[in-house]
Amino acid sequence: MKNSWIKYIVSMVIAALLLYNSVYIRKLDAKPAAVSATALPGDFAEQFWKNEFKVFLDSAVELTQLLSMLKTDPKEATTSFSKTQGIGNTAYFLVKGEGIITAVSTDDVLVALQPGDDNAIVKINTGLYFGNAVRDVTGKISMGDFDNTMDYNTVSSTLNKIVQEQVIKPFKSKVVKGANIQFIACAEVNTAQPDTGMLNLLPVRVNF
Amino acid sequence: MKKINLIAFLLILSSVFLFSACNNAGSEKKKAKKMAIVVSTLNNPWFVYLAETAAAKAKALGYETKIFDSQNNTATESDNFENILVSDYCAILFNPTDADGSVANVKKAKEAGVPVFCMDREINAKGFATSQILSDGFSGSVEIAKYFVEVLNKKGSYVELLGITGDNNTKARSAGFHSVVDNYPELKMVAQQSADFDRNKGMEVMESMLQAHPDIVGVFCGNDAMAMGAYQALVGAGKEKTVKVFGFDGAEDAVKSIKENKLTATGMQFPKIMAETAAQYAHEYYNGKRDFEEKIPVAVELVTAKNVDNYMGYGKK
């Protein structure tokens, strides 16, 4: 009888030990991107765009809400809606909005979110883009995911090329003054000077 | 008797369980409050500043410090690590000489239970350094290149002076620059050569480039020391007004030179932030923290004649 109790207790302790070492609890925001960073950086970027980024579009914040918050409480706006990488002053926001194209030039268009209000005009990029907004706006890709930072940089360049081909080129071909558009875009804000000048947006989805 | 055996057995199992739960943190022997600072070279004022700032921060946190110079040589770096690992240092604040060649040293330190915090330059491996606080050279060079395109009005011949071949910063800065400039077909790179991040070599290489390509309108240099050397060569050839020079680092003489309308632009790295963050992390490690982000990019800012008054050597005013 005593032996069976010993066996039972020993089994329970061993089971608890195994269970403890099988389960690791990590913060959800520490979860790495589902797409493997060990893939070639170009392939990684394509898979990320297809499988992760498009799902993330649903989380875009209303642009009018963000613009007003950047004026009244930029710190709160940054904390609530932006993603940053490492140490620096750049915060990336994913925003959505609707407006009328009021001017068209070679590398950008102006969009009036609320006609008649000068403060609600934004610039949407239609030229070449070289920053890290697409890579960094989700907060799901970090430098530490890669052995070599060149791979991390290649992911950014590849994502920019995808946006150029799949979003900017088709958008640019249809752009006309007076058109009404709905868009989702990345905004890059200098947190040291959050409310200076017109907001520049990189479109990631546009509908006419 | 059997009861005592059972209790003893359960106690042993519990100890195993607790030992495992502590994730070995409790089993580490507390080392002396001494930090080693290993830098790739003390021949460049930028790295002297990095090393001295790290040492000053560590001292302010209550640690003894010693600076080791690797003289841009992985063998010397390896000797430095051998000495450090037998001298009871609690952490190494490390500026690697070679992204691949320095991995073995970091590995050795990890095996000896000494955490390594990389500053500015990375090692090409994950899981060995406790944290790497790295200048985002690629993005910084993208900003410089955008300004380069604007200043040169999207056309003209130019040359590039590269840093030490094999160094990741050399690759990242060049790649960032070309990721922008190569999109403009009327901007033609007519020569590209390494000058090893060295001012004198920068001058020599520029002199020979000018002989072969007298019509260039721009020079992109992988660091400020080479940019200052290139500018000297241009002065010698009487071309300093027609050729625009772009550097990278934010060194004191380069910032001064931009103010005097000699250099056109540089990328301001923040060695103070990197050095102090590394020392702070090492201090937190000493006090028991273990979950550090493995790689942390530090932004690089574009410095031109328009905003130079906001900056000083190695940082912001």
Side-chain angles (χ1 to χ4, degrees):
Chain A
M1 188 62 188
K2 266 184 188 170
N3 275 344
S4 65
W5 268 105
I6 293 168
K7 276 180 194 166
Y8 178 73
I9 291 166
V10 169
S11 312
M12 287 300 287
V13 171
I14 290 170
L17 185 64
L18 288 173
L19 188 68
Y20 179 83
N21 281 305
S22 311
V23 179
Y24 294 89
I25 297 168
R26 296 171 68 180
K27 281 184 186 174
L28 270 176
D29 57 9
K31 182 182 166 289
V35 184
S36 168
T38 53
L40 288 171
D43 296 343
F44 174 90
E46 277 169 24
Q47 291 302 312
F48 183 80
W49 173 258
K50 222 192 291 175
N51 303 330
E52 307 262 325
F53 196 88
K54 290 192 170 168
V55 178
F56 181 72
L57 293 179
D58 295 337
S59 67
V61 60
E62 283 290 345
L63 182 52
T64 45
Q65 183 193 351
L66 177 67
L67 286 172
S68 112
M69 240 177 132
L70 282 173
K71 279 186 191 124
T72 55
D73 193 351
K75 212 169 185 183
E76 178 59 28
T78 308
T79 313
S80 306
F81 301 120
S82 80
K83 292 285 188 294
T84 55
Q85 282 285 323
I87 302 170
N89 291 327
T90 307
Y92 297 100
F93 297 84
L94 189 72
V95 297
K96 60 181 172 190
E98 183 172 354
I100 293 166
I101 297 173
T102 58
V104 179
S105 43
T106 321
D107 291 332
D108 53 62
V109 297
L110 295 184
V111 175
L113 299 178
Q114 292 163 3
D117 181 353
D118 285 346
N119 293 328
I121 292 177
V122 291
K123 196 183 270 184
I124 296 187
N125 182 26
T126 56
L128 293 168
Y129 175 75
F130 302 109
N132 300 317
V134 190
R135 183 193 65 194
D136 294 346
V137 76
T138 64
K140 291 189 175 219
I141 301 175
S142 79
M143 193 186 249
D145 295 336
F146 302 88
D147 283 353
N148 184 317
T149 52
M150 275 315 295
D151 290 347
Y152 175 64
N153 297 324
T154 305
V155 168
S156 188
S157 313
T158 309
L159 285 168
N160 290 347
K161 278 180 197 154
I162 292 171
V163 168
Q164 195 70 40
E165 288 301 317
Q166 298 185 18
V167 182
I168 294 179
K169 270 191 185 170
F171 172 47
K172 203 171 178 175
S173 68
K174 289 186 205 162
V175 152
V176 287
K177 195 175 164 185
N180 189 72
I181 59 167
Q182 295 95 42
F183 59 86
I184 300 178
C186 303
E188 201 172 317
V189 172
N190 181 345
T191 52
Q193 298 160 312
D195 186 30
T196 51
M198 192 182 291
L199 207 58
N200 280 295
L201 305 176
L202 175 73
V204 289
R205 179 180 286 172
V206 186
N207 293 316
F208 283 86
Chain B
M1 190 62 190
K2 272 185 180 175
K3 212 173 204 174
I4 292 167
N5 281 343
L6 172 63
I7 291 165
F9 184 68
L10 287 175
L11 273 173
I12 290 165
L13 269 179
S14 308
S15 308
V16 170
F17 182 78
L18 278 173
F19 180 78
S20 155
C22 289
N23 202 18
N24 292 330
S27 66
E28 286 169 14
K29 181 181 161 266
K30 202 88 171 165
K31 289 182 182 289
K33 285 193 91 177
K34 275 168 46 180
M35 284 190 203
I37 295 121
V38 184
V39 279
S40 56
T41 176
L42 289 176
N43 258 346
N44 179 330
W46 195 92
F47 292 104
V48 173
Y49 183 82
L50 184 81
E52 287 178 350
T53 309
K57 177 71 179 179
K59 270 181 198 154
L61 291 166
Y63 295 79
E64 267 181 51
T65 61
K66 187 173 178 190
I67 295 172
F68 295 81
D69 179 6
S70 303
Q71 297 168 5
N72 275 333
N73 183 330
T74 43
T76 311
E77 184 181 277
S78 196
D79 291 345
N80 287 337
F81 268 71
E82 296 287 347
N83 291 333
I84 290 162
L85 296 181
V86 294
S87 306
D88 200 31
Y89 281 93
C90 68
I92 301 172
L93 312 183
F94 181 41
N95 170 246
T97 297
D98 185 288
D100 292 312
S102 299
V103 174
N105 290 328
V106 180
K107 227 177 189 178
K108 248 186 269 169
K110 191 184 179 188
E111 281 160 12
V114 180
V116 176
F117 299 86
C118 292
M119 304 181 286
D120 176 47
R121 293 176 171 179
E122 72 174 329
I123 54 160
N124 283 343
K126 273 168 63 181
F128 299 120
T130 304
S131 187
Q132 303 194 51
I133 302 114
L134 309 170
S135 228
D136 192 357
F138 184 91
S139 305
S141 294
V142 164
E143 291 308 309
I144 293 173
K146 280 154 75 176
Y147 192 59
F148 184 92
V149 171
E150 186 189 322
V151 170
L152 269 53
N153 203 18
K154 300 181 186 173
K155 58 175 185 262
S157 300
Y158 72 93
V159 294
E160 181 183 6
L161 302 192
L162 296 165
I164 294 168
T165 318
D167 173 55
N168 273 20
N169 279 347
T170 299
K171 290 180 205 159
R173 292 171 195 178
S174 184
F177 177 78
H178 286 285
S179 75
V180 177
V181 175
D182 292 357
N183 289 287
Y184 299 89
E186 288 184 56
L187 276 169
K188 289 196 175 79
M189 185 173 73
V190 290
Q192 182 189 48
Q193 200 178 320
S194 168
D196 292 340
F197 288 134
D198 183 87
R199 185 175 181 142
N200 290 335
K201 280 190 191 165
M203 189 171 84
E204 286 164 21
V205 170
M206 190 72 237
E207 280 168 351
S208 66
M209 281 177 166
L210 277 171
Q211 283 172 5
H213 308 284
D215 300 328
I216 56 165
V217 290
V219 190
F220 173 63
C221 304
N223 81 343
D224 284 340
M226 294 190 295
M228 295 304 289
Y231 183 79
Q232 238 171 302
L234 288 164
V235 171
K239 288 183 178 290
E240 77 275 16
K241 302 276 182 219
T242 50
V243 182
K244 304 290 181 196
V245 184
F246 297 75
F248 195 103
D249 267 351
E252 206 161 6
D253 50 359
V255 172
K256 191 167 166 265
S257 186
I258 291 171
K259 217 175 251 183
E260 293 165 353
N261 285 314
K262 292 176 179 170
L263 291 199
T264 303
T266 188
M268 177 58 73
Q269 301 194 83
F270 292 94
K272 188 169 191 276
I273 291 175
M274 288 187 277
E276 289 187 346
T277 306
Q280 179 65 35
Y281 281 12
H283 173 60
E284 287 169 14
Y285 187 97
Y286 189 85
N287 288 333
K289 185 180 170 181
R290 292 295 181 268
D291 55 329
F292 293 91
E293 237 181 281
E294 191 161 351
K295 287 187 184 179
I296 299 168
V298 178
V300 173
E301 296 180 8
L302 177 71
V303 182
T304 69
K306 286 177 206 160
N307 66 359
V308 69
D309 289 337
N310 301 328
Y311 296 90
M312 55 185 196
Y314 314 118
K316 269 188 176 151
K317 275 182 184 167

